[in-house]
Amino acid sequence: MQHVEKLAKVVEEGNSYGAQQMYKSISARYISAERYADALEILQSGACIQLEHGEVICGAELAVLLVETLVKGKFPCDEDSLDRVRKIYKKFPQIPAPQRLGDDDDEMQKLSEALAAAKTRVESCSSFLKSAIKWSVEFGPDKNGSPELHDMLAEYIYSESAEPDMTRVSYHFVRGKNPKQFASLFVNFMGKCYPGEDDLAIARAILMYLSLGNLKDANCLMDELKKLVKQQELEFPKSDLMQFITYLLPTLQRDALPLFSMLRQSYKFSIDREPVFNELLDDVAEKFYGVQRRNPLQGMFGDFIKMMGSEGM
């Protein structure tokens, strides 16, 4: 397409804003003519070129328009369409999270600018991948959205945030397909941001997997965490909450609702440390033992957390 080369030259000459308006107007013309494949080509090219030149906001805007075009054209979430998303994702800048270096004004100014840039990168990439996940829910085989897209978003939030929100990271990793990668990032994180609360973060991640009915990856995460902690000569958290999780995992491998209920009662004090744990455990009871919630309103808090997860993530 001649437009692709012509517009790439405009960006390379430093006029990213002018190119952006042209990318948007040309793709809009293609979409109104229902030439969706041509629109996708121009938007993918534009997003990649803008991102290559450090124009993160412009690149993300075109990336979101590409996803909107996938929806308008009713494109299935198949390898060809996912590859477009992958190629754009790989162009988002990967820059180590800024660290505080000194106290003089210049250093503080640089740190402030680096933190603002990191926030923009995470928000821009998140808006693109969240829209792609929504498209994959509607046009793909997975009711929670493409696991690959969830993994991408989890990794980007973790790697690019100065202080990653592990609840957001966990929300996406448990809907992904890479518990070993999740475990690796988790061990790097342990003790850095929430000293003394590693057990809460681990329990939250395990219960999130279980609330989706995914016992296999919950066990994989737990085994991998223990292995990595041992390899790195760290200490695995010891608490009543961790004991509860250790007993819970084998209990769910068999038809043992009375034992499950007894565990919840015995460890009630530890479970109550985090309000959402009871909601997640109600989901687990429903998934593994078919226990219906007595009160439909019971799930509102958990649903709110999940909604905040998908929105704020």
Side-chain angles (χ1 to χ4, degrees):
M1 286 174 84
Q2 64 182 55
H3 288 310
V4 168
E5 288 173 22
K6 195 163 120 188
L7 290 175
K9 201 172 173 192
V10 176
V11 178
E12 280 154 16
E13 287 167 355
N15 186 6
S16 59
Y17 178 77
Q20 187 77 355
Q21 303 317 305
M22 288 189 270
Y23 280 123
K24 286 160 71 176
S25 63
I26 293 167
S27 62
R29 284 207 301 274
Y30 284 143
I31 290 164
S32 65
E34 297 187 0
R35 290 172 60 184
Y36 297 116
D38 289 337
L40 290 173
E41 283 301 316
I42 199 102
L43 289 166
Q44 181 184 332
S45 168
C48 288
I49 288 161
Q50 293 282 35
L51 289 167
E52 279 170 14
H53 286 79
E55 300 292 343
V56 174
I57 293 172
C58 288
E61 184 185 19
L62 296 178
V64 170
L65 286 173
L66 176 133
V67 176
E68 288 173 5
T69 306
L70 290 171
V71 173
K72 280 176 189 161
K74 295 184 168 56
F75 285 84
C77 179
D78 57 16
E79 266 305 297
D80 287 345
S81 296
L82 276 173
D83 202 45
R84 291 187 186 278
V85 176
R86 273 186 215 114
K87 281 175 176 161
I88 295 172
Y89 170 71
K90 284 176 183 169
K91 297 292 182 184
F92 272 88
Q94 302 262 349
I95 300 165
Q99 304 296 323
R100 185 166 177 164
L101 300 171
D103 288 326
D104 65 76
D105 288 349
D106 274 357
E107 291 295 345
M108 292 301 286
Q109 180 65 24
K110 281 179 193 167
L111 178 65
S112 175
E113 287 169 5
L115 287 170
K119 188 168 183 278
T120 299
R121 284 197 301 278
V122 171
E123 286 174 355
S124 299
C125 189
S126 294
S127 68
F128 162 51
L129 287 177
K130 279 191 292 184
S131 63
I133 288 166
K134 282 178 185 167
W135 156 73
S136 73
V137 168
E138 191 176 350
F139 294 98
D142 297 286
K143 65 175 184 176
N144 291 315
S146 160
E148 182 183 356
L149 297 179
H150 279 293
D151 281 333
M152 283 180 194
L153 183 47
E155 286 172 28
Y156 200 81
I157 292 168
Y158 182 87
S159 66
E160 296 302 306
S161 302
E163 288 185 10
D165 177 345
M166 287 307 284
T167 304
R168 289 177 70 196
V169 172
S170 298
Y171 177 90
H172 292 291
F173 262 128
V174 300
R175 287 160 176 77
K177 56 181 182 182
N178 202 342
K180 289 191 175 182
Q181 171 71 358
F182 186 16
S184 174
L185 296 186
F186 217 115
V187 171
N188 289 339
F189 176 83
M190 277 168 64
K192 284 180 188 169
C193 294
Y194 303 111
E197 293 191 356
D198 288 336
D199 63 334
L200 282 174
I202 293 170
R204 191 186 303 115
I206 297 288
L207 290 174
M208 280 174 149
Y209 270 126
L210 296 175
S211 73
L212 297 172
N214 189 347
L215 181 58
K216 177 172 169 279
D217 284 346
N219 275 309
C220 179
L221 177 66
M222 193 68 159
D223 293 343
E224 195 68 15
L225 282 171
K226 286 178 176 173
K227 186 176 95 181
L228 292 171
V229 163
K230 194 174 178 184
Q231 280 174 4
Q232 296 182 28
E233 299 181 350
L234 300 169
E235 196 171 332
F236 196 81
K238 291 185 177 73
S239 69
D240 286 349
L241 185 60
M242 282 294 92
Q243 203 169 41
F244 168 69
I245 295 293
T246 301
Y247 290 144
L248 178 66
L249 289 167
T251 300
L252 295 175
Q253 288 174 339
R254 53 202 178 137
D255 189 7
L257 177 58
L259 179 55
F260 172 80
S261 301
M262 189 183 81
L263 281 172
R264 282 188 75 168
Q265 193 55 45
S266 300
Y267 289 93
K268 186 177 185 310
F269 181 77
S270 297
I271 293 165
D272 287 347
R273 283 172 60 197
E274 179 87 54
V276 76
F277 285 173
N278 278 300
E279 291 294 338
L280 291 169
L281 283 164
D282 285 347
D283 287 343
V284 173
E286 196 169 348
K287 284 278 191 301
F288 287 85
Y289 299 117
V291 177
Q292 296 298 310
R293 295 177 187 276
R294 286 189 298 277
N295 176 359
L297 294 175
Q298 268 187 321
M300 281 183 68
F301 182 67
D303 291 340
F304 175 71
I305 292 288
K306 287 170 199 164
M307 182 185 75
M308 289 299 288
S310 61
E311 289 301 321
M313 306 199 179

